[in-house]
Amino acid sequence: MKTVTLNNGVVMPQIGYGVYQVSPTECERCVSDALSVGYRMIDTAQAYHNEEGVGAAVKKSGIARDELFLVSKVWISNYGFDKAKVSIDESLHKLGTDYIDLMLLHQPFCDRYGAYRALEAAYKEGKVRAIGVSNFYPDHFIDLASNVEIVPAVNQVETHVFDQQIEAQGYMKEFGTHVMAWAPLAEGRNNFFTNPVLEAIGKKYGKSVAQVPLRWLIQRDVIIIPKSVHVERMQQNMDIFDFELSQEDMAAIAALDTRQSLFFDHHAPEVVKMFMGWR
């Protein structure tokens, strides 16, 4: 398992298993399968409503806690210092753990400064080992990172071959912050799994269309959390460390970038209005 070292010295697996859109009833089984095939980082969130399933799978796995890396996120309805502090304790309880390895702010809206101060407090209290943000575009990120005590260790953002976050990653590096990709397989959108460039490169290395862009992200020093509910695909998504893409192939994939989200533009007024309805 390849790892990255965060800006506070914490070592984190570069590939993990994400449980976004995994139902609470299915989550325990899926996480158990992921752990059985070798995943040691699990990414969840308060808004996913499946932290208990993650905690149950971890408890039953018999794997030592210090061999696992748990990630969760504070939802915007829990923003503000006091509410965020309470919600972090609730996440600890649901996950059945004394500490969370990485805790993020889920969205760049509402009282993000108050919520981030709660993350800093939890970090100082040893309740979390590292803190960061999610879905913060460069302007959101630079503003926050320049005005807090503890610079975010991670920014989890939509990152895949069609929205590559090249410029954003450059800004993150200035702060020593790692990019963590959600939807690294674009959830199959934009004919992802039949893309001729990815298909051709996959044939060259004897790899699937999914494995090629995951390897591309790994070589870009991006943390990834591919999701599948099928154990065979979970294994396949991890089987990306026995080959290396050439610079020519990296460039061919880079040319697929549209610099546009396939999901949410966090600067669009209608998107912001939608999130305000999810408070």
Side-chain angles (χ1 to χ4, degrees), residues 158-170 186 190 192 195 197-198 213 216-217 220 249-262:
E158 175 189 354
T159 312
H160 46 73
V161 297
F162 304 122
D163 191 6
Q164 300 184 6
Q165 305 289 358
I166 302 296
E167 181 181 20
Q169 187 176 21
N190 203 24
F192 185 94
N195 182 275
V197 173
L198 301 180
W216 168 78
L217 287 166
R220 283 185 50 206
D249 294 327
M250 293 289 287
I253 296 171
L256 299 175
D257 196 5
T258 68
R259 301 186 181 186
Q260 293 184 343
S261 171
L262 294 181

Side-chain angles (χ1 to χ4, degrees), residues 29-134:
R29 186 218 22 114
C30 288
V31 173
S32 294
D33 285 345
L35 294 173
S36 73
V37 299
Y39 288 88
R40 289 299 178 264
M41 186 248 287
I42 308 295
D43 176 89
T44 183
Q46 295 171 356
Y48 302 168
H49 304 294
N50 56 21
E51 288 175 312
E52 289 108 329
V54 172
V58 166
K59 183 177 181 180
K60 292 179 181 179
S61 72
I63 300 170
R65 177 65 184 87
D66 62 3
E67 295 179 17
L68 299 171
F69 197 99
L70 301 182
V71 184
S72 194
K73 310 173 195 74
V74 179
W75 186 244
I76 55 177
S77 59
N78 292 322
Y79 277 17
F81 181 80
D82 292 335
K83 291 173 71 175
K85 280 200 72 174
V86 171
S87 80
I88 293 167
D89 288 340
E90 290 174 348
S91 288
L92 287 165
H93 176 72
K94 289 177 179 178
L95 288 165
T97 183
D98 294 329
Y99 64 92
I100 295 169
D101 296 278
L102 175 64
M103 197 77 180
L104 310 175
L105 298 188
H106 206 150
Q107 302 289 346
F109 307 124
C110 304
D111 183 9
R112 58 185 185 262
Y113 279 94
Y116 197 83
R117 287 196 298 273
L119 290 187
E120 291 178 321
Y123 177 79
K124 293 174 183 178
E125 293 166 5
K127 294 179 180 179
V128 299
R129 297 177 63 223
I131 61 177
V133 295
S134 179

Side-chain angles (χ1 to χ4, degrees), residues 204-205 216 219 244-254:
K204 176 179 176 180
Y205 294 93
W216 168 78
Q219 287 182 216
E244 183 171 348
L245 296 171
S246 69
Q247 289 302 308
E248 179 184 14
D249 294 327
M250 293 289 287
I253 296 171

